[in-house]
Amino acid sequence: MTDRAVQRRRRALYLFFFLNGVAMSSWVTRTPDIRDRLGVSTAQMGLVLFGLSVGSMTGILCSGRLVSRFGTRPVTAVGTLSIVASVAVVGAGSALASAPLVTAGLCLFGVGAGAGEVAINVDGADVERITGRAVLPTLHGCFSLGTVVGALAGMAATAAVFPAHWHLLAVAVVAAGIFTYAIGAVPAGTGIRAALPASDSAGPSKPQVWRDRRLLLIGTVVLAMALAEGAANDWLPLLMVDGHGLDAAAGSLVYVGFAAAMTLGRFSGTFFLGRYSRATVLRASAVSGALGLCLVIFSDNTVVAAAAVLFWGLGASLGFPVALSAAGDSGPDETARVGLVATIGYIAFLVGPPTLGFLGDHYGLRPAMVVVLAFVAVAAFAAPAAGTRDSRHRGAETRTPAELAAAARTAAENKRACP
């Protein structure tokens, strides 16, 4: 590929992640309005959000095989179009006051996001191999930036009492335009690989991986930090509305703050990982997240609780990606280790929304978040399992072009090998 083609491809990947962030935060900021429109309880809303978790798990489990067979371009295309359609379906469900239709829309969103995100990551790793430059951290930063933009638009629409279904339809139209512009820059064939002979694919058995104490501790960190991130994405606007008495527009504004903190944390993550060990970064993240959660749960001062969301967002921003990297370095058979830890993390996204919904229905959303706080506190003690900084986390300025290219090739191969 020419330099210009690679640049277009990189910009397209940034746009896909940005699109995903905008789409997700658009419906998240309208959850209070959608909940009221559906006329459901907090527990019932947890079941509605459960559709997102089921869809996400389905997309993640299928994505590796789909990319290996068809390549990243068709999987990215189908996944992104599923997201575009899902936003429109959620809007239609809100307009018709149909909880099953909203649930189906969120499930479709989860399938598209789960499968499409893996494909984009594989494509991003291939760009890293070609250019010798880090791309993946910025991709995830673009997702967080998209959540900020989408949340701001959602807050404005909420303040203007603009109907949620028309707002989500407009988001779907804009997302379709971004998709049409970007998909042409993604080349065909990336990620396709031939099936390996049985003798070549043999590796450590799953029981051996499960018995690795260090890996299980890393999995605990991933579980806790994924729960912290997912709890905010699913419940934060409602938490501020029901738990702190804010109106829907102010609740959306608080979510904007969380998304902005996530964006800042992810864009600055490379800087801190280049200077401190992963264990230190994870512990600091867990402490920041725990501090934010404590203030949101126990402070009756609305301003303090709203400001504390920034600590919550900063704490949740790096936990998942840093812990996954640590899992890959924890021993042989990197694919199996990352797969195991990622699965543990997605359990949080699967069971978190309905569990917190049922607890919130019985005790209130603020007390329900004590469960999240407890997990994050445990993560702070489990953080040393992530180990120390390795060469893949040194700043780019300390690495030679050959080292960068070799690291990028390794990352690409590992991404492609992920089942």
Side-chain angles (χ1 to χ4, degrees):
M1 300 181 67
T2 65
D3 289 343
R4 186 172 182 180
V6 172
Q7 290 175 1
R8 288 187 63 246
R9 181 183 181 186
R10 185 168 56 229
R11 286 196 299 267
L13 298 180
Y14 291 157
L15 285 173
F16 281 124
F17 260 96
F18 179 81
L19 182 158
N20 290 354
V22 169
M24 188 195 75
S25 62
S26 294
W27 64 259
V28 167
T29 54
R30 302 313 298 265
T31 50
D33 294 327
I34 294 174
R35 191 269 308 267
D36 294 342
R37 176 69 179 169
L38 297 179
V40 296
S41 67
T42 302
Q44 290 170 327
M45 192 63 185
L47 291 177
V48 171
L49 292 170
F50 186 68
L52 175 67
S53 302
V54 172
S56 297
M57 182 65 76
T58 302
I60 288 292
L61 293 177
C62 296
S63 58
R65 294 180 181 178
L66 291 174
V67 169
S68 296
R69 182 172 181 180
F70 301 107
T72 58
R73 181 173 180 174
V75 178
T76 298
V78 173
T80 305
L81 288 175
S82 296
I83 291 173
V84 173
S86 71
V87 174
V89 172
V90 171
S94 176
L96 299 173
S98 171
L101 191 57
V102 172
T103 304
L106 292 178
C107 183
L108 181 61
F109 184 97
V111 171
E117 184 174 327
V118 170
I120 300 169
N121 275 295
V122 172
D123 224 290
D126 192 57
V127 173
E128 287 187 337
R129 178 188 62 81
I130 294 171
T131 63
R133 293 182 177 181
V135 171
L136 292 174
T138 309
L139 283 179
H140 291 274
C142 287
F143 173 84
S144 296
L145 180 61
T147 63
V148 174
V149 173
L152 285 171
M155 180 192 68
T158 301
V161 199
F162 190 68
H165 54 279
W166 290 119
H167 168 213
L168 295 179
L169 178 61
V171 171
V173 171
V174 172
I178 293 175
F179 166 80
T180 302
Y181 170 80
I183 191 62
V186 180
T190 304
I192 297 178
R193 61 185 177 92
L196 295 175
S199 59
D200 293 338
S201 60
S205 63
K206 289 185 178 179
Q208 289 177 314
V209 174
W210 274 99
R211 285 199 294 265
D212 190 320
R213 180 175 175 272
R214 180 190 172 196
L215 187 63
L216 293 179
L217 287 173
I218 295 173
T220 301
V221 175
V222 169
L223 176 66
M225 304 312 284
L227 183 60
E229 180 181 350
N233 287 334
D234 291 330
W235 292 109
L236 185 55
L238 281 175
L239 172 63
M240 300 308 296
V241 169
D242 294 349
H244 288 281
L246 298 180
D247 59 30
S252 297
L253 178 60
V254 172
Y255 179 74
V256 171
F258 175 84
M262 288 278 291
T263 303
L264 176 62
R266 283 177 169 165
F267 275 118
S268 62
T270 302
F271 172 84
F272 289 105
L273 287 169
R275 287 155 180 80
Y276 303 99
S277 70
R278 283 181 303 214
T280 300
V281 171
L282 283 177
R283 182 182 286 112
S285 297
V287 170
S288 175
L291 174 62
L293 280 161
C294 274
L295 293 174
V296 170
I297 295 169
F298 299 113
S299 175
D300 291 324
N301 187 307
T302 303
V303 175
V304 171
V309 168
L310 300 177
F311 291 100
W312 184 352
L314 285 172
S317 63
L318 292 176
F320 197 93
V322 174
L324 283 180
S325 178
D329 291 340
S330 63
D333 197 353
E334 178 179 2
T335 297
R337 290 173 177 274
V338 172
L340 172 61
V341 171
T343 300
I344 293 174
Y346 280 105
I347 289 174
F349 293 115
L350 181 64
V351 305
T355 301
L356 293 175
F358 283 118
L359 291 174
D361 200 43
H362 287 85
Y363 305 105
L365 279 175
R366 282 172 65 180
M369 291 296 158
V370 172
V371 175
V372 183
L373 174 61
F375 274 96
V376 173
V378 171
F381 290 99
T388 58
R389 178 180 61 190
D390 68 4
S391 61
R392 288 186 298 179
H393 294 96
R394 283 183 285 161
E397 69 278 2
T398 67
R399 304 176 68 183
T400 67
E403 287 179 315
L404 285 169
R409 284 195 298 271
T410 301
E413 291 167 0
N414 290 334
K415 287 285 184 182
R416 293 180 183 181
C418 219

